[in-house]
Amino acid sequence: MISAQDALERLREGNRRFAAGVTNLDPLIMRTRRNELIGGQAPFATILGCSDSRVPVEMVFDQNMGDLFVIRVAGNIVASSQVGSVEFAAERFNSRLVVVLGHSRCSAVTATLEELQRPTNSQSRNLRSIVDRIRPSVEEFLAPELKHEPEELMRHAVRANVRASVNHLRHGSEILEQLIHNHGLLVVGAEYSLETGGVDFFDGAPG
Ligand SMILES: [Zn+2]
């Protein structure tokens, strides 16, 4: 089993490669790995990321197939099925690190802010369920002083939304709580920058 700290270091190194435009992967390595994985998997980290096409998780961390257990949903929100997926990876595969990965210019966060500023009833019930998950964590940033600074507003809102998901995973499941307290499970928040390609771990990640 790979400890949370070692897993985090692997992700940091992989992202440094990605941001620098280099990779450890080549088609031959991938083919070998594909064959090795037929019999089973042992992903060393679980990533809850946004569905955004600009944030492909394995690429961003320069990891191969079999390395990461990835859950992607617009706005990296946490509902029951996401909690269940994280529990599954932690229990079944002993994945000890969970990363909630938000990103700059997240369209789901933008849509939520727009909805708060100019409410419409045009969203489907299903889409609304995503906006409603994001809403509580970004509402406070609509204070008058930030309203006119859209970039600042987005920056705060993206991070608050990541923190809310981290918090939900840390406290919304008895199984995960028990793994955190007794078995070294670590849940951290991170933000990917579309601008630099870098990932900043900012919530609960040891230096
Ligand atoms: Zn997004």
Side-chain angles (χ1 to χ4, degrees):
M1 188 198 302
I2 294 175
S3 72
Q5 181 71 51
D6 289 349
L8 194 57
E9 199 41 50
R10 253 197 220 195
L11 292 180
R12 284 192 165 119
E13 282 170 11
N15 177 247
R16 274 195 285 271
R17 289 194 298 276
F18 172 77
V22 296
T23 177
N24 274 357
L25 300 177
D26 70 41
L28 198 62
I29 291 176
M30 290 178 78
R31 194 173 66 178
T32 309
R33 194 65 193 277
R34 182 162 63 81
N35 288 328
E36 288 168 358
L37 289 167
I38 294 170
Q41 58 175 317
F44 71 83
T46 301
I47 317 285
L48 170 64
C50 182
S51 303
D52 194 300
S53 64
R54 301 166 293 180
V55 195
V57 174
E58 282 88 348
M59 288 174 85
V60 159
F61 290 113
D62 191 38
Q63 299 300 318
N64 206 337
M65 58 182 80
D67 288 334
L68 303 177
F69 191 89
V70 178
I71 306 149
R72 287 177 73 179
V73 57
N76 41 269
I77 55 160
V78 174
S80 303
S81 52
Q82 282 80 38
V83 177
S85 299
V86 172
E87 287 175 350
F88 182 75
E91 287 204 304
R92 182 73 62 103
F93 307 123
N94 288 321
S95 168
R96 283 294 167 265
L97 176 68
V98 181
V99 180
V100 176
L101 181 66
H103 64 97
S104 59
R105 298 169 194 265
C106 180
S107 313
V109 173
T110 305
T112 305
L113 290 171
E114 283 172 2
E115 179 64 22
L116 283 165
Q117 285 166 311
R118 286 182 302 280
T120 62
N121 284 317
S122 58
Q123 286 163 341
S124 76
R125 192 164 50 87
N126 301 313
L127 181 56
R128 184 167 292 275
S129 74
I130 292 178
V131 168
D132 285 346
R133 293 258 169 204
I134 300 175
R135 184 197 304 264
S137 48
V138 305
E139 230 156 14
E140 60 174 302
F141 300 112
L142 286 177
E145 62 271 22
L146 278 177
K147 252 185 178 164
H148 303 294
E149 297 186 43
E151 291 204 359
E152 268 298 273
L153 176 63
M154 261 309 275
R155 214 170 54 80
H156 286 293
V158 163
R159 294 206 167 209
N161 183 46
V162 168
R163 283 197 188 91
S165 290
V166 166
N167 212 31
H168 192 152
L169 290 175
R170 282 183 189 149
H171 304 293
S173 152
E174 271 177 36
I175 291 175
L176 296 182
E177 260 184 29
Q178 197 254 337
L179 287 167
I180 288 168
H181 286 130
N182 303 322
H183 299 281
L185 184 79
L186 188 66
V187 184
V188 304
E191 182 185 3
Y192 171 74
S193 163
L194 294 186
E195 293 80 1
T196 67
V199 171
D200 181 26
F201 292 88
F202 67 88
D203 186 358

